[in-house]
């Protein structure tokens, strides 16, 4: 079920939110809002396809409304005091219910989904990080995300184009963080922020252990940079082809850091 493409390079791309598969028994419980699947990281797998030098990718085809693999299994809030969604979301990013009344998953159902969907994703991700680290002496997890640029329920104003998350500079070395932020800040006509509204999800925080030579960084892109932000969520080639070279350079810079032993 988990889609893994093994590469020989030092970078592992996590793709936790591009899937749109919803098992039939769960689909029947979703309401019209839920069935719109509006909070998908639309086209992110396509956006990164072919970028980087021999990268590994780990992707789940399951939609985040089934279970969000970028949340911890204990469902602890990533952003205490702020609006957010949980392990098995009950609302969308606008705060609207996604289940028909009385059809929300109970504790037993959440536990089942963790076993069937959450655990296999992280087993695959941890396996690939270990493989890459064994080959290169270190591994970089680059977690790929996108979100609508305007969502008042989650954040004020308009989101920057590049939202870099390193959990307050703890999930990767400063050289990794500096490499990505420097490239983003140099990208003309794009805005960026480090550890702003999105500081990195559970994946970044859990796997990012720079003292153990595993570095993790999350990139949350504003969807306005490569697509239309309303249904039918259309891919915009004109925008994407301007963005892809920048993403290529980001991944290439990180690869060079590893090969040149410049991570410190």
């Amino acid at each position: 079920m988990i889609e893994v493409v093994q590469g020989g390079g030092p970078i592992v791309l996590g793709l936790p939110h591009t899937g749109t598969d919803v098992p039939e028994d769960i689909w029947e419980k979703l309401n019209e809002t839920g069935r719109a699947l509006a909070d998908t990281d639309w086209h992110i797998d396509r956006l990164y396809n072919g970028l980087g030098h021999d990268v590994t990718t780990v992707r789940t085809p399951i939609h985040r409304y089934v279970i969000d693999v970028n949340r911890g299994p204990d469902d602890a809030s990533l952003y205490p005091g702020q609006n957010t969604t949980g392990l098995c979301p009950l609302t969308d990013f606008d705060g609207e219910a996604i289940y028909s009344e009385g059809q929300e998953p109970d504790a037993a159902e959440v536990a089942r989904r963790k076993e069937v969907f959450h655990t296999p994703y992280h087993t695959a991700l941890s396996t690939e990080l270990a493989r890459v680290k064994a080959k290169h002496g270190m591994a970089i997890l680059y977690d790929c995300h996108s979100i609508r640029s305007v969502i008042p329920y989650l954040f004020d104003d308009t989101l920057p184009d590049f939202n870099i998350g390193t959990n307050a500079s703890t999930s990767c070395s400063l050289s990794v963080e500096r490499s990505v932020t420097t490239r983003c800040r140099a990208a003309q006509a794009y805005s960026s922020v480090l550890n702003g509204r999105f500081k990195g999800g559970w994946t970044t925080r859990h796997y990012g252990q720079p003292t153990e030579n595993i570095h993790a960084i999350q990139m949350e892109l504003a969807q306005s940079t490569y697509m239309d932000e309303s249904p039918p969520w259309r891919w915009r080639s004109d925008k994407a082809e301007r963005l892809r070279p920048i993403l290529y350079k980001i991944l290439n810079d990180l690869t060079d850091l590893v090969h040149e032993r410049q991570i410190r």
Side-chain angles (χ1 to χ4, degrees), residues 1-4 12-17 58-62 67-75 78 87 113-131 141 143 145 201-208 214 216 218:
M1 179 190 72
I2 305 302
E3 300 170 3
V4 176
V12 177
L13 300 184
L15 297 165
H17 293 153
V58 179
R59 175 182 182 269
T60 176
I62 294 297
I67 194 164
D68 190 338
V69 296
N70 197 34
R71 300 293 185 269
D74 61 356
D75 201 17
L78 295 172
L87 181 64
R113 295 186 195 183
K114 284 196 290 187
E115 179 180 359
V116 175
F117 304 116
H118 192 278
T119 297
Y121 178 78
H122 287 285
T123 297
L125 193 57
S126 59
T127 297
E128 292 309 307
L129 287 169
R131 179 184 65 83
L141 170 60
D143 217 33
H145 297 261
W202 184 79
T203 303
T204 302
R205 304 180 195 200
H206 176 71
Y207 290 101
I214 296 182
Q218 177 175 299

Side-chain angles (χ1 to χ4, degrees), residues 147-159 197-198:
I147 193 169
R148 285 176 285 145
S149 60
V150 178
I151 306 179
Y153 182 71
L154 295 184
F155 49 82
D156 297 328
D157 304 319
T158 301
L159 202 67
R197 174 60 178 86
F198 298 101

